Amino acid sequence: MKIGRIGSFTLALAMVIVAIFSLRVWIIPTTNDASHLATRFVNAVDPVTQVPDFSTVNDIVEKKKAFFDFLRPIVQQQNAIILMERDFINEMLALIDNDKSLSESQRGLLNELFDKYQYAARNIDAKSLNSLLKRVDIVPESMVLIQAANESGWGSSRFAREGFNFFGEWCFTSGCGIVPSSRGSGKSHEVKVFTSVDESVSSYMRNLNSNTAYTLLRSIRADLRSQELELKADQLIYGLVNYSERQDAYIDELLDMLRHNEKYLVNVDV
């Protein structure tokens, strides 16, 4: 049977997605320690180190579907890891609220999370853990997918293809990434290179959850949490105002992309 260019790409993509899902088996651990759960979850997954050639797909609808289908399981996995970390913090907070002592291993794991999310805690107490919870929280799936599409040119940029960088993240050490051809004189930044797509998504989420530039995003999210409301992409996108030098114009562009691609973001929070 003969199939066309789009059909060939779709078949190849389907095989990649099946491989991703088959590797991303959620192990049922034997411990209640949520931080250990996250570690075991990461170790149970083989990272994605192949990116389909989205530039070969001329049909816009097919390209969008293929792009979202490729990234979605990776985004879901990273959010699941964050939820496990969040569950662990809540468990420790419950112990403290009930005047229970934390073990050395529990304190060690909390200190690892403080370091990961760049929160300087003087003490491990209810105040510091509640502050940490504002950072350790999920990023709406549809927001991640839309911003990845925007920053990577629907997966066709050389930074996505060569460096697995889907979010345009920079680094500032010589040789740490790919030098952008448009970099102005006197500039030293490079576009960071990752070892896998998973690492790119994880780094992006950690950046939003720790960098002071996205304090507004975390405040919006915490406010929604306090009201027991759903974390919606069209609300949290406003917290990305410092992601680009274009600021408000960048937010408007992302919101426009979100609206125009709603039908492709099936079963996610639009």
Side-chain angles (χ1 to χ4, degrees), residues 142-161:
S142 55
M143 189 179 91
V144 181
L145 295 175
I146 285 297
Q147 197 172 13
N150 181 282
E151 293 289 339
S152 71
W154 295 95
S156 299
S157 72
R158 71 183 179 111
F159 307 123
R161 291 182 287 104

Side-chain angles (χ1 to χ4, degrees), residues 132-261:
L132 183 60
L133 280 174
K134 292 182 179 180
R135 299 188 177 215
V136 185
D137 207 344
I138 63 171
V139 182
E141 185 178 307
S142 55
M143 189 179 91
V144 181
L145 295 175
I146 285 297
Q147 197 172 13
N150 181 282
E151 293 289 339
S152 71
W154 295 95
S156 299
S157 72
R158 71 183 179 111
F159 307 123
R161 291 182 287 104
E162 298 175 17
F164 304 119
N165 191 328
F166 281 76
F167 301 94
E169 287 195 80
W170 289 2
C171 56
F172 298 91
T173 303
S174 180
C176 64
I178 302 170
V179 177
S181 57
S182 59
R183 188 177 73 178
S185 59
K187 301 287 186 179
S188 61
H189 70 275
E190 299 179 12
V191 179
K192 192 173 182 179
V193 168
F194 295 99
T195 60
S196 67
V197 182
D198 305 65
E199 187 181 26
S200 174
V201 176
S202 175
S203 176
Y204 158 81
M205 289 185 175
R206 187 167 61 255
N207 185 29
L208 296 189
N209 282 335
S210 59
N211 197 313
T212 55
Y214 310 114
T215 301
L216 175 60
L217 182 146
R218 297 192 293 272
S219 295
I220 295 171
R221 185 175 60 189
D223 185 55
L224 292 172
R225 282 287 190 195
S226 68
Q227 299 179 64
E228 299 184 352
L229 298 175
E230 185 180 355
L231 304 184
K232 304 279 283 185
D234 59 357
Q235 294 175 291
L236 268 73
I237 278 177
Y238 289 98
L240 297 173
V241 67
N242 291 321
Y243 203 95
S244 167
E245 294 177 348
R246 296 169 54 221
Q247 294 200 311
D248 289 341
Y250 182 69
I251 298 304
D252 290 340
E253 184 173 283
L254 291 179
L255 288 171
D256 188 59
M257 288 183 67
L258 188 67
R259 286 190 292 268
H260 279 85
N261 292 282

Side-chain angles (χ1 to χ4, degrees), residues 5-6 9-10 53-64 66:
R5 179 183 293 271
I6 292 176
F9 179 90
T10 303
D53 189 356
F54 295 106
S55 64
T56 64
V57 185
N58 296 319
D59 185 278
I60 299 300
V61 172
E62 291 298 325
K63 178 182 287 190
K64 289 180 176 182

Side-chain angles (χ1 to χ4, degrees), residues 118-139:
Q118 298 178 28
Y119 182 80
R122 293 185 178 181
N123 300 295
I124 296 178
D125 52 24
K127 182 179 178 180
S128 63
L129 293 188
N130 276 311
S131 295
L132 183 60
L133 280 174
K134 292 182 179 180
R135 299 188 177 215
V136 185
D137 207 344
I138 63 171
V139 182

